[in-house]
């Protein structure tokens, strides 16, 4: 018999009924259907109204707000079950996905209209090909698609009542991705003509959806470990190590070595587009020392939790949780000082000049960056002396120092790293509160393991298609299907990790915790491919 959302099917052996299997009816997928159909209706409205319609950036911010709203109510429902909280959480997630996809589609139309205006102004009446402007040109576009891939995957899974809690863990991650997009900036950019191919939207679309599925698989893996009685203190150790790694590596390793956080500077773009990276880094007051304090507190928490895990020292456990909470407060203060310091900076020429007088090494680093962009041969670059490079940096500052400025779009990956470390600490603190209650309300280990396996299979297949379509596009654009570019290699390693997940499960029978660890490692590699390659490693994919 079919009710409002389910079809119940009884399974018999002989004349004996042995189980009742719930099969989802079409109505149970209505949130996902409404989000997608509504987004296409929204873009139809944008086409009818024209440029006076709400901007794609505003729609993205609405998606971010509803993702956070949905996650908060799902977390509330997890601790204190409530029908109202459950409904608000579900519809918050639905509206988040709706606005997320709407933002991406409206951005597509905006990019087309922008190019059309330029063509008309130049006297060219030939209308551009609509498919050419599908928004997959930079990391902002990919972030929008990554987030709605994660959100849509979540909506397709939470139709099962036992798995609605999943959005409490996946939506905050989707919100982090949109936050990163906000700080990257949504300026439109054109790819090099050599990359203009219909394989681009196919390849990048597959990538974004695969990344979204991998995110959901990661969340299920973490939940599995929590359900499997992995101690919260062990999770705290790993999240704290991640936080320490972020603090140690951002700002050119200056936080722990010099006690300062230095934000990148920009130069205005005379064409009115995205500002240029000016290579100099300016000190943001208080951020560095607050992060040093947060790092000391996290290190202390790690030491206390190790003492608890290996010596069953309850006093160490209590101290560890106190230190973790203090570290959480310190991380919040660092983010606040970062934002207020950048917004109140104004003209930075004098303060940066004073900083350079104390530490002139930046002139050499900037000179090296400038030389690297001159298309010099390896021999010509090697022939440049440190004195020449430093002089180039000084001349560059003298010519442009008055135009340098700071922006909230500065160092988006570093800021996303800080927010991710903060979120990791927050969730560990949250898990430590009524841990047994949470575990009781989570689905069984078998159900979680099965869902983790299914999403890992989808991620594996998606990453395989990513590699295949990327090879075809590369062969069409660069004349070779594979060149061991940094992003190509990162994607291959991530795919091989999911392949190892499936191989060990099928041939060795590894399940449970072993599979969860593989899923976590695989997603970390996906994130490194998505972010780290674009900002940390040189390569042909540095544009996205």
């Amino acid at each position: 018999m079919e009710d409002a959302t389910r079809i119940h099917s009884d399974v018999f052996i002989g004349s004996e009924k042995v189980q009742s299997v719930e099969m989802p009816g079409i109505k149970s997928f209505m949130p996902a259907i409404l989000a997608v159909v509504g987004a296409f209706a929204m873009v139809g409205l944008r086409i009818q109204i024209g440029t006076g319609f709400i901007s794609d950036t505003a729609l993205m911010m609405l998606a971010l707000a509803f993702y956070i709203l949905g996650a908060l109510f799902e977390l509330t429902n997890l601790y204190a079950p409530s029908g109202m909280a459950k409904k608000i959480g579900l519809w918050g997630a639905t509206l988040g996905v709706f606005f997320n996809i709407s933002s991406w589609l409206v951005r597509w139309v905006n990019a087309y209209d922008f190019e059309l205006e330029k063509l008309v102004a130049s006297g060219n009446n030939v209308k551009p090909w609509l498919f050419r402007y599908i928004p997959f040109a930079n990391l902002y576009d990919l972030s929008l698609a990554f987030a709605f891939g994660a959100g849509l995957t979540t909506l397709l899974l939470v139709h099962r009542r036992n798995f609605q809690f999943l959005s409490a863990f996946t939506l905050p991650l989707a919100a982090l991705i949109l936050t990163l997009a906000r700080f990257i900036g949504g300026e439109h950019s054109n790819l090099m003509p050599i990359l203009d191919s219909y394989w681009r939207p196919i390849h990048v679309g597959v990538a974004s959806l695969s990344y979204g599925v991998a995110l959901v698989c990661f969340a299920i893996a973490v939940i599995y470990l929590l359900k499997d009685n992995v101690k919260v203190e062990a999770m705290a150790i790993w999240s704290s190590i991640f936080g320490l790694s972020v603090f140690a590596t951002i700002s050119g390793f200056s936080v722990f070595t010099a006690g300062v956080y230095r934000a990148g500077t920009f130069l205005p773009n005379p064409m009115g587009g995205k500002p240029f990276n000016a290579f100099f880094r300016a000190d943001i007051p208080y951020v560095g020392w607050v992060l040093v304090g947060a790092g000391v507190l996290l290190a202390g928490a790690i030491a206390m939790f190790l003492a608890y895990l290996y010596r069953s020292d309850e006093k160490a456990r209590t101290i560890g949780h106190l230190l973790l909470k203090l570290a959480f407060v310190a991380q919040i203060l660092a983010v606040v000082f970062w934002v207020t310091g950048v917004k109140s900076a104004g003209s930075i020429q004098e303060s940066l000049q004073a900083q350079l007088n104390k530490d002139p090494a930046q002139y050499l680093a900037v000179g090296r960056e400038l030389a690297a962009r001159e298309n010099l041969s390896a021999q010509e670059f090697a022939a440049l002396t440190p004195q020449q490079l430093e002089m180039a940096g000084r001349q560059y500052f003298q010519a442009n120092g008055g135009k340098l400025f700071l922006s909230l779009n500065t160092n988006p990956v570093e800021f996303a790293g800080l927010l991710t470390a903060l979120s990791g600490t927050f969730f560990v603190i949250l898990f430590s509160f009524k841990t047994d209650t949470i575990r009781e309300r989570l689905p069984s280990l078998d159900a979680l393991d099965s869902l983790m396996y299914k999403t890992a299979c989808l991620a594996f297949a998606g990453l395989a298609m990513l590699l295949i379509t990327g090879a075809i596009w590369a062969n069409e654009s660069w004349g070779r299907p594979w060149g061991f570019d940094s992003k190509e290699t990162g994607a291959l390693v991530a795919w091989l990790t999911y392949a190892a997940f499936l191989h060990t499960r099928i041939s060795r029978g590894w399940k449970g915790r072993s599979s969860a660890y593989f899923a976590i490692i695989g997603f970390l590699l996906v994130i490194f491919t998505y972010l780290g390659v674009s900002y940390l490693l040189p390569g042909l994919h540095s544009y996205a």
Side-chain angles (χ1 to χ4, degrees):
M1 180 180 295
E2 183 175 352
D3 60 14
T5 60
R6 307 272 169 186
I7 299 175
H8 296 271
S9 176
D10 295 331
V11 178
F12 291 86
I13 296 179
S15 60
E16 182 181 358
K17 184 174 75 171
V18 294
Q19 62 178 339
S20 180
V21 179
E22 282 193 8
M23 298 175 61
I26 187 66
K27 289 185 179 180
S28 65
F29 291 104
M30 283 307 295
I33 294 172
L34 286 174
V36 175
V37 173
F40 279 95
M42 179 73 85
V43 79
L45 194 60
R46 158 63 182 86
I47 293 171
Q48 289 295 320
I49 293 177
T51 55
F53 194 68
I54 183 172
S55 69
D56 58 279
T57 304
L59 290 170
M60 184 272 285
M61 295 301 293
L62 285 171
L64 174 60
F66 277 107
Y67 279 150
I68 294 173
L69 178 72
L72 287 174
F73 275 94
E74 285 297 343
L75 282 171
T76 301
N77 183 62
L78 192 60
Y79 280 93
S82 163
M84 179 176 290
K86 192 173 184 179
K87 289 179 181 178
I88 295 175
L90 176 61
W91 289 107
T94 303
L95 287 170
V97 175
F98 161 68
F99 283 117
N100 196 166
I101 301 177
S102 297
S103 172
W104 187 80
L105 290 172
V106 168
R107 183 172 174 80
W108 187 355
V109 177
N110 289 345
Y112 177 81
D113 285 351
F114 178 72
E115 185 70 15
L116 186 61
E117 286 179 8
K118 290 199 300 183
L119 290 174
V120 171
S122 65
N124 189 342
N125 294 322
V126 178
K127 289 190 175 182
W129 184 35
L130 179 62
F131 199 60
R132 183 175 185 267
Y133 298 97
I134 190 168
F136 281 135
N138 53 39
L139 195 60
Y140 179 90
D141 300 336
L142 178 57
S143 297
L144 287 182
F146 186 177
F148 83 63
L152 187 60
T153 303
T154 300
L155 283 185
L156 292 173
L157 293 176
V158 299
H159 71 272
R160 298 173 61 181
R161 288 190 295 268
N162 287 344
F163 288 111
Q164 188 168 327
F165 75 93
L166 191 60
S167 55
F169 301 89
T170 57
L171 294 185
L173 295 174
L176 277 174
I177 295 167
L178 289 184
T179 302
L180 170 66
R182 164 65 184 83
F183 286 97
I184 290 172
E187 295 85 357
H188 293 283
S189 59
N190 292 322
L191 289 176
M192 295 176 289
I194 196 172
L195 297 175
D196 190 11
S197 166
Y198 58 85
W199 282 104
R200 174 175 63 91
I202 297 172
H203 169 69
V204 186
V206 167
S208 58
L209 294 176
S210 301
Y211 289 178
V213 174
L215 182 150
V216 174
C217 183
F218 165 80
I220 297 168
V222 173
I223 295 164
Y224 181 93
L225 294 176
L226 183 65
K227 178 70 174 181
D228 199 28
N229 295 318
V230 171
K231 290 185 180 295
V232 173
E233 291 74 20
M235 293 183 173
I237 289 173
W238 288 108
S239 70
S240 299
I241 290 173
F242 173 77
L244 287 172
S245 301
V246 171
F247 303 159
T249 54
I250 60 176
S251 183
F253 301 90
S254 69
V255 171
F256 288 157
T257 58
V260 296
Y261 175 80
R262 293 169 178 157
T265 57
F266 281 142
L267 277 173
N269 187 336
M271 304 299 293
K274 190 170 184 176
F276 299 121
N277 183 357
F279 309 123
F280 287 101
R281 298 186 72 101
D283 291 357
I284 305 296
Y286 310 116
V287 176
W289 285 113
V290 173
L291 287 177
V292 170
V296 171
L297 291 168
L298 288 179
I302 291 172
M304 291 297 104
F305 288 143
L306 286 172
Y308 164 68
L309 292 174
Y310 288 99
R311 296 198 311 231
S312 300
D313 187 339
E314 287 294 334
K315 184 177 180 181
R317 176 177 178 271
T318 302
I319 295 173
H321 281 288
L322 175 61
L323 293 175
L324 194 66
K325 291 180 175 112
L326 291 173
F328 178 66
V329 173
Q331 290 175 73
I332 293 175
L333 287 175
V335 171
V336 170
F337 286 139
W338 189 92
V339 173
T340 56
V342 169
K343 289 181 72 69
S344 62
S347 176
I348 62 170
Q349 183 178 15
E350 291 185 8
S351 60
L352 185 56
Q353 180 67 74
Q355 175 189 324
L356 292 170
N357 290 339
K358 295 178 182 178
D359 180 21
Q362 277 205 64
Y363 288 126
L364 177 62
V366 171
R368 188 176 290 111
E369 289 285 351
L370 294 172
R373 283 157 174 74
E374 291 296 326
N375 295 321
L376 301 175
S377 67
Q379 293 79 8
E380 290 172 329
F381 187 84
L384 293 173
T385 65
Q387 291 78 14
Q388 289 175 313
L389 294 173
E390 181 177 340
M391 181 57 66
R394 289 181 181 275
Q395 292 173 347
Y396 183 71
F397 181 76
Q398 290 172 1
N400 299 288
K403 295 180 285 186
L404 297 178
F405 68 95
L406 295 175
S407 167
L408 288 178
N409 294 342
T410 303
N411 314 116
V413 174
E414 291 185 356
F415 191 64
L418 287 177
L419 289 181
T420 305
L422 176 67
S423 301
T425 305
F426 168 74
F427 272 101
V428 168
I429 293 172
L430 189 68
F431 291 160
S432 66
F433 178 67
K434 293 187 177 180
T435 307
D436 292 336
T437 301
I438 298 176
R439 286 173 174 152
E440 288 175 4
R441 289 173 180 159
L442 294 175
S444 67
L445 287 174
D446 287 341
L448 289 170
D449 184 66
S450 175
L451 189 60
M452 180 169 56
Y453 172 63
K454 291 172 183 175
T455 51
C457 287
L458 288 174
F460 170 79
L463 291 173
M465 288 301 300
L466 178 151
L467 292 170
I468 293 169
T469 55
I472 297 172
W473 182 23
N475 189 64
E476 193 174 273
S477 297
W478 296 317
R480 51 91 178 142
W482 188 266
F484 285 98
D485 181 66
S486 51
K487 198 148 194 168
E488 294 172 350
T489 306
L492 176 62
V493 173
W495 177 72
L496 289 174
T497 304
Y498 284 99
F501 175 105
L502 299 179
H503 172 74
T504 54
R505 187 180 183 99
I506 295 169
S507 66
R508 299 287 182 180
W510 289 12
K511 298 176 66 176
R513 288 194 186 185
S514 301
S515 294
Y517 294 140
F518 264 117
I520 291 171
I521 294 171
F523 180 68
L524 293 177
L525 290 169
V526 164
I527 288 296
F528 181 75
T529 304
Y530 158 64
L531 281 182
V533 169
S534 300
Y535 281 86
L536 301 177
L537 300 177
L540 293 170
H541 291 78
S542 57
Y543 61 90

